[in-house]
Amino acid sequence: MTLPPVELGAFPRERAGELLTLQRAAYVTEAQLYGDARLPALTETLPELLAELAGSACLAAWHGPRLVGAVRSREVDGVLHIGRLVVAPDLQGHGIGSRLLAAAEGTSGCATATLFTGHLSEANLRLYRRRGYVETHREQLSPAVELVHLTKDLAR
């Protein structure tokens, strides 16, 4: 499959419902992987998402009018915290996530970026390691989910 043309840009908060739909679609495979449909990305409500967007930056990937990916970031004490990197399930594995991650890193003046993913999320871990992230520690979120925390030196 050829990657469709994708444009990156700031996410308009008035389209938050679309982002919530994309996020849920993208996290279904994670829920299946961990056997848990109560993952925070799946249970987040529209008001919670809007509150999150008010305090963070959000980059979006568009194929024409279709929202096909997004990533959120927030700068805290000189560290870029990256979260909720999502890509439409039918377009995963085509570089959209890599482009969004690079764009989020590039918009920051921070020297370090940090993010996390679940220990069973091998595709995510491969992506982050390819992009230069290294594991710093693990955190037990629940009996079934261990979070892998990673960091990257952006000053290089």
Side-chain angles (χ1 to χ4, degrees):
M1 178 175 141
T2 304
L3 177 66
V6 173
E7 298 291 327
L8 302 185
F11 180 77
R13 284 155 176 69
E14 65 271 10
R15 294 180 72 172
E18 289 175 70
L19 177 56
L20 190 59
T21 300
L22 173 65
Q23 177 177 299
R24 289 178 176 165
Y27 270 86
V28 165
T29 54
E30 294 292 300
Q32 292 169 336
L33 189 60
Y34 293 97
D36 186 356
R38 295 178 320 266
L39 297 176
L42 292 172
T43 61
E44 185 172 41
T45 65
L46 185 56
E48 290 169 338
L49 174 60
L50 287 167
E52 171 72 21
L53 291 174
S56 62
C58 185
L59 289 171
W62 303 94
H63 173 56
R66 180 184 176 204
L67 177 65
V68 296
V71 64
R72 293 183 229 168
S73 62
R74 177 188 313 235
E75 294 183 14
V76 179
D77 297 328
V79 175
L80 180 66
H81 294 261
I82 297 174
R84 300 280 164 86
L85 175 61
V86 295
V87 175
D90 63 316
L91 294 175
Q92 291 175 2
H94 293 281
I96 296 170
S98 291
R99 287 186 58 199
L100 283 164
L101 188 54
E105 294 167 357
T107 62
S108 171
C110 294
T112 306
T114 187
L115 50 77
F116 61 84
T117 192
H119 71 291
L120 298 177
S121 303
E122 285 301 323
N124 296 347
L125 289 166
R126 278 193 306 275
L127 167 64
Y128 300 144
R129 289 177 180 134
R130 269 195 325 269
R131 294 276 318 143
Y133 286 82
V134 294
E135 183 176 333
T136 58
H137 65 283
R138 292 183 178 225
E139 170 189 7
Q140 199 69 43
L141 183 65
S142 71
V145 181
E146 185 177 43
L147 296 180
V148 180
H149 292 262
L150 303 108
T151 188
K152 178 179 179 180
D153 179 2
L154 298 177
R156 290 190 237 171

